[in-house]
Amino acid sequence: MTAMKKMVEENHELHLATDKDTFIERFADRCGVDPITFIERCVDADSISAIILGGSIPLRTATGASDVDFIVLTRDGARYKDHACEGAEFDEDQIFSASYSHALNNLKRETLVQNVDGVEVDVDLIELSSVLEISALTNRSEASLTSDHVRILSRIKTGWLLHCAESSSEQISIIQKDRALSLRTAVSNMRNAIKAHGHARAAVATNPDVSVYLARASLEWAFMSVLSALGCAYPGEKWLLILERNVAGDLDERRIPSELYRTGVDLLFPKRMNDTHDVECYLKNVGGWINQVRRWVELDPTNKLANAFCKQIYDLA
């Protein structure tokens, strides 16, 4: 690994992009090269199946200090060009590199981290065949997905497609449009929300503080179920900001009712409770809100059907 010599200190305005075209323009203005050409300097163009901008920028949660996350889906066996990992072709004041590779959980992946004029640019090379393999698993209820699987697939689905080879367009379209991942995570998150709420009820008599903590955890799981239903299976740590933008109408997905959102946020940050009775009232309100969320999620018939197959959700409710 080659260490980055220039620290990422400067703010940028790439996060202000509202679509892929404005991002491409802003990236070219800031970094002196358009994203496609930048990637092709690092990877042989013939091996590229698709280039996707993932992470916080397309989710509209980025800031001027956020990094740029490119996912490059490639043909089997693709690797970075040697100079990309050494930084030899670029101005020494502008770019330094760090790279590592691994084959984790069947995702054949190699990552390059670069500092381009004060902007951290992360480039993930992932073989398209391995992504197709993992994507197919989402439709099999008996298959187990790791958090790495969910993160990569979710970033591909919620990201902006900047470039796609004609030969791969149908495969990329299938990955991005398939809803199996969202349905799967929405169900599991709702199940976790109801389980956490049950644990909170069980703890209230012996440890009210733990009970409140578990109740807040159940709220977060329920919010995760909402995000999954909206198509964002791996929202990251800024998930509350994604929901806020959704309520405000800044995002294109189905919108959660503002009253439901606001009530959940108020419960997430409760006032100080003085005794067990206050905690019991809080748990009752949290349970009622989780059921409202479940009913809202199930307004989509596909989500309702998916929940119906998880008997545990209704047994625990």
Side-chain angles (χ1 to χ4, degrees), residues 75-102:
R75 296 178 182 176
D76 289 357
R79 300 293 302 274
Y80 287 107
K81 296 177 181 178
D82 289 340
H83 69 71
C85 294
E86 297 299 329
E89 191 174 283
F90 303 94
D91 189 311
E92 209 174 74
D93 290 332
Q94 288 190 330
I95 190 163
F96 296 89
S97 309
S99 66
Y100 63 91
S101 61
H102 58 86

Side-chain angles (χ1 to χ4, degrees), residues 138-188:
T138 62
N139 289 287
R140 294 167 50 189
S141 59
E142 75 281 6
S144 177
L145 296 180
T146 69
S147 60
D148 203 42
H149 293 156
V150 175
R151 185 179 71 86
I152 293 296
L153 286 177
S154 182
R155 286 192 165 199
I156 291 172
K157 290 173 180 294
T158 59
W160 292 338
L161 183 61
L162 306 182
H163 167 76
C164 185
E166 186 175 350
S167 58
S168 305
S169 60
E170 185 175 349
Q171 293 171 312
I172 301 300
S173 178
I174 290 172
I175 293 173
Q176 289 196 313
K177 291 180 180 179
D178 183 56
R179 291 191 59 197
L181 181 68
S182 294
L183 293 171
R184 185 185 184 112
T185 52
V187 170
S188 63

Side-chain angles (χ1 to χ4, degrees), residues 71 78 93 108 123 130 143 146 172-173 297 316:
I71 299 171
D93 290 332
K108 297 177 181 177
V123 184
S130 68
T146 69
I172 301 300
S173 178
V297 168
L316 292 170

Side-chain angles (χ1 to χ4, degrees), residues 227-246:
L227 283 163
S228 292
L230 293 172
C232 187
Y234 196 97
E237 68 274 6
K238 290 183 279 190
W239 57 268
L240 199 58
L241 184 55
I242 299 175
L243 283 170
E244 185 178 273
R245 292 192 179 281
N246 172 270

